[in-house]
Amino acid sequence: MCPKNASYYGNRAATLMMLGRFREALGDAQQSVRLDDGFVRGHLREGKCHLSLGNAMAACRSFQRALELDHKNTQAQQEFKNANAVMEYEKIAETDFEKRDFRKVVFCMDRALEFAPACHRFKILKAECLAMLGRYPEAQSVASDILRMDSTNADALYVRGLCLYYEDCIEKAVQFFVQALRMAPDHEKACIACRNAKALKAKKEDGNKAFKDGNYKLAYELYTEALGIDPNNIKTNAKLYCNRGTVNSKLRKLDDAIEDCTNAVKLDDTYIKAYLRRAQCYMDTEQYEEAVRDYEKVYQTEKTKEHKQLLKNAQLELKKSKRKDYYKILGVDKNASEDEIKKAYRKRALMHHPDRHSGASAEVQKEEEKKFKEVGEAFTILSDPKKKTRYDSGQDLDEEGVNMADFDANNIFKAFFGGPGGFSFEASGPGNFFFQFG
């Protein structure tokens, strides 16, 4: 009815702004100042729309024009400051993104979005950084909100895919990357992410196949290659490290396996499988305190009967490891037969008998006497089936009435070699001895 009235366009722009429809409002505000360049409120609304949509530089021009028309206008003064603040936040965010300081970028975008609530560009940058920080639900939420308003937004599709990719849902992630590339064929980030996702999926699957086929060397090489594809994919890389750790354990490279599992839990400290694999490697290398620590972590997270038993076994082995290792003292395997134990005792007892070292220094005599006693202790326990069983099961020998403090190694020695006068040590030369039976 009155298409040339600037205030009508200005009023409709204000209404659309209240409805959050800033792009439509911008058109009306621009039309209002085209009709009347002296319309201060029209310039203010145009600037406010530009700022809300994230175009801070255009907003500054509009607010400057309003100030030229009314230099005392406090709203124009404040909005001009706000627009400059947004430009500064953008500048800082761009620098920090290059430095990979994603927390700082999120902070800057949160501040900028207070003045530019309708800026998809700021929201996308924030969502991408949230994904890089592992805050996937928040990133997904921001991207989904944009897609509800614009289902063809390639940046939002890319961020959705990025979240899935970093959560190790690689197949679904590829679908979103492909969709983003359909909307924007030149989308560089989506292109790189799609390529990495496909390569990672292929290498991991090839590694899994090689492992199942028993080709551990090839599996190791494939997992290593996969780890080099994308250092930012924390969850997938944690699994790859754990997989490679399993390969190393199969190859009996237990220290390497422990290192791989440690890298896995550094990337994902909730990764139970990596803790379990490392704990088993600790058990295999007799690092029982470390094994207990890992099994405790697992049991605190998942209180299952299986995990409880694994923890109990590790605690038992730790307890056993703190006692004297009688097998080691005799130099025999834990599955040694009765005859092997006797032969080992004979050898070690004669080697450490005090008479054999009577000409040595006081320090050496004391050390050999200690070893002689330990050999006797070991033989006393391991030659008695009942005591051996209790020892092997980790039970306290004191409960059986065995008091090693009252133990006499000489009595065991004499009994084994047939009593007093059954043998004697004779010198065959300086520092050399042989034993002779009577």
Side-chain angles (χ1 to χ4, degrees):
M1 294 175 66
C2 191
K4 300 295 183 182
N5 190 314
S7 65
Y8 290 171
Y9 285 101
N11 289 346
R12 189 167 70 176
T15 305
L16 289 166
M17 289 167 69
M18 294 296 289
L19 292 170
R21 292 158 62 180
F22 293 100
R23 201 162 293 283
E24 295 172 72
L26 177 61
D28 276 351
Q30 288 173 326
Q31 180 62 14
S32 74
V33 296
R34 275 195 292 266
L35 292 170
D36 180 2
D37 186 53
F39 186 27
V40 174
R41 277 184 295 177
H43 287 293
L44 285 172
R45 286 164 186 160
E46 181 187 7
K48 189 69 174 174
C49 288
H50 278 309
L51 186 57
S52 296
L53 292 166
N55 191 345
M57 192 172 289
C60 280
R61 288 196 293 268
S62 295
F63 297 137
Q64 280 179 322
R65 179 59 184 150
L67 287 168
E68 287 170 6
L69 295 168
D70 180 5
H71 69 277
K72 293 183 179 180
N73 191 300
T74 55
Q75 184 185 354
Q77 291 170 355
Q78 184 57 52
E79 292 293 0
F80 184 73
K81 287 180 182 178
N82 293 344
N84 277 291
V86 169
M87 284 195 288
E88 185 62 23
Y89 284 130
E90 276 193 87
K91 185 178 176 182
I92 295 170
E94 185 179 348
T95 301
D96 288 328
F97 189 87
E98 291 297 320
K99 293 178 181 176
R100 301 184 65 80
D101 188 351
F102 301 121
R103 293 181 194 282
K104 188 87 172 285
V105 178
V106 170
F107 173 82
C108 288
M109 289 301 95
D110 279 337
R111 301 290 79 76
L113 283 164
E114 290 174 6
F115 304 116
C119 182
H120 286 181
R121 183 164 48 86
F122 292 170
K123 289 179 181 179
I124 287 294
L125 181 56
K126 175 186 174 181
E128 185 176 357
C129 290
L130 288 170
M132 299 300 282
L133 291 168
R135 293 160 63 179
Y136 307 120
E138 295 172 75
Q140 290 267 32
S141 177
V142 173
S144 296
D145 285 345
I146 293 172
L147 288 170
R148 273 193 287 273
M149 292 181 279
D150 179 9
S151 62
T152 65
N153 189 298
D155 291 325
L157 290 166
Y158 160 71
V159 170
R160 281 293 306 275
L162 195 65
C163 291
L164 291 165
Y165 173 59
Y166 286 149
E167 289 182 290
D168 199 38
C169 300
I170 295 179
E171 202 165 328
K172 287 184 180 178
V174 169
Q175 293 174 7
F176 276 97
F177 294 145
V178 169
Q179 197 174 346
L181 289 167
R182 283 201 198 104
M183 299 300 116
D186 296 328
H187 199 295
E188 187 178 354
K189 288 182 178 180
C191 185
I192 293 170
C194 190
R195 185 169 62 245
N196 284 345
K198 288 178 178 179
L200 202 53
K201 182 174 180 288
K203 286 288 182 188
K204 186 181 176 187
E205 287 176 352
D206 288 346
N208 292 346
K209 184 178 184 302
F211 179 82
K212 287 177 184 176
D213 292 343
N215 191 342
Y216 301 130
K217 186 178 178 182
L218 178 60
Y220 177 89
E221 290 172 358
L222 288 166
Y223 289 141
T224 301
E225 288 173 16
L227 281 164
I229 292 172
D230 184 1
N232 295 318
N233 195 321
I234 290 171
K235 283 210 169 183
T236 302
N237 287 344
K239 291 181 179 180
L240 288 167
Y241 271 121
C242 187
N243 288 358
R244 195 174 73 174
T246 304
V247 171
N248 276 322
S249 69
K250 290 287 185 182
L251 294 169
R252 304 311 295 167
K253 295 180 179 179
L254 297 178
D255 288 340
D256 290 343
I258 289 169
E259 184 180 352
D260 277 340
C261 293
T262 299
N263 285 329
V265 298
K266 279 180 182 176
L267 293 176
D268 182 2
D269 63 1
T270 66
Y271 193 14
I272 295 299
K273 189 177 177 181
Y275 283 109
L276 288 170
R277 172 59 57 195
R278 187 172 69 175
Q280 184 57 57
C281 290
Y282 281 139
M283 292 290 284
D284 292 341
T285 53
E286 299 184 1
Q287 299 180 65
Y288 300 120
E289 288 188 8
E290 289 83 356
V292 167
R293 187 182 63 237
D294 278 354
Y295 283 132
E296 283 177 341
K297 170 79 175 177
V298 169
Y299 185 63
Q300 287 167 5
T301 307
E302 293 182 0
K303 289 182 166 59
T304 67
K305 287 183 179 179
E306 181 187 358
H307 294 159
K308 185 177 182 180
Q309 188 59 48
L310 287 169
L311 174 58
K312 189 176 178 182
N313 292 344
Q315 288 171 333
L316 177 60
E317 291 301 322
L318 176 60
K319 180 181 175 183
K320 286 162 67 176
S321 72
K322 292 183 180 298
R323 308 173 308 172
K324 289 180 181 177
D325 187 341
Y326 290 137
Y327 291 103
K328 189 175 181 179
I329 288 169
L330 287 183
V332 295
D333 186 79
K334 292 183 179 180
N335 298 316
S337 66
E338 187 178 344
D339 283 343
E340 287 171 331
I341 290 169
K342 285 181 179 179
K343 286 178 183 177
Y345 172 70
R346 175 187 291 272
K347 179 182 176 182
R348 296 294 173 114
L350 292 171
M351 184 187 301
H352 300 297
H353 194 283
D355 288 352
R356 185 168 188 167
H357 303 279
S358 58
S361 66
E363 187 179 346
V364 170
Q365 285 186 41
K366 186 177 180 181
E367 182 64 26
E368 292 299 329
E369 187 177 348
K370 179 186 173 186
K371 290 179 179 178
F372 179 67
K373 183 177 179 181
E374 287 180 341
V375 167
E377 284 182 24
F379 181 68
T380 299
I381 300 304
L382 300 183
S383 62
D384 184 315
K386 191 173 182 181
K387 291 180 180 132
K388 183 176 183 295
T389 299
R390 291 183 67 82
Y391 175 78
D392 288 343
S393 64
Q395 297 180 59
D396 290 326
L397 295 172
D398 290 342
E399 295 174 7
E400 187 68 12
V402 179
N403 188 351
M404 303 314 291
D406 298 332
F407 169 79
D408 190 336
N410 287 308
N411 288 338
I412 296 297
F413 186 86
K414 289 172 184 177
F416 186 86
F417 285 101
F423 78 98
S424 65
F425 283 96
E426 299 289 346
S428 61
N432 296 316
F433 295 84
F434 64 91
F435 68 90
Q436 180 180 338
F437 286 98

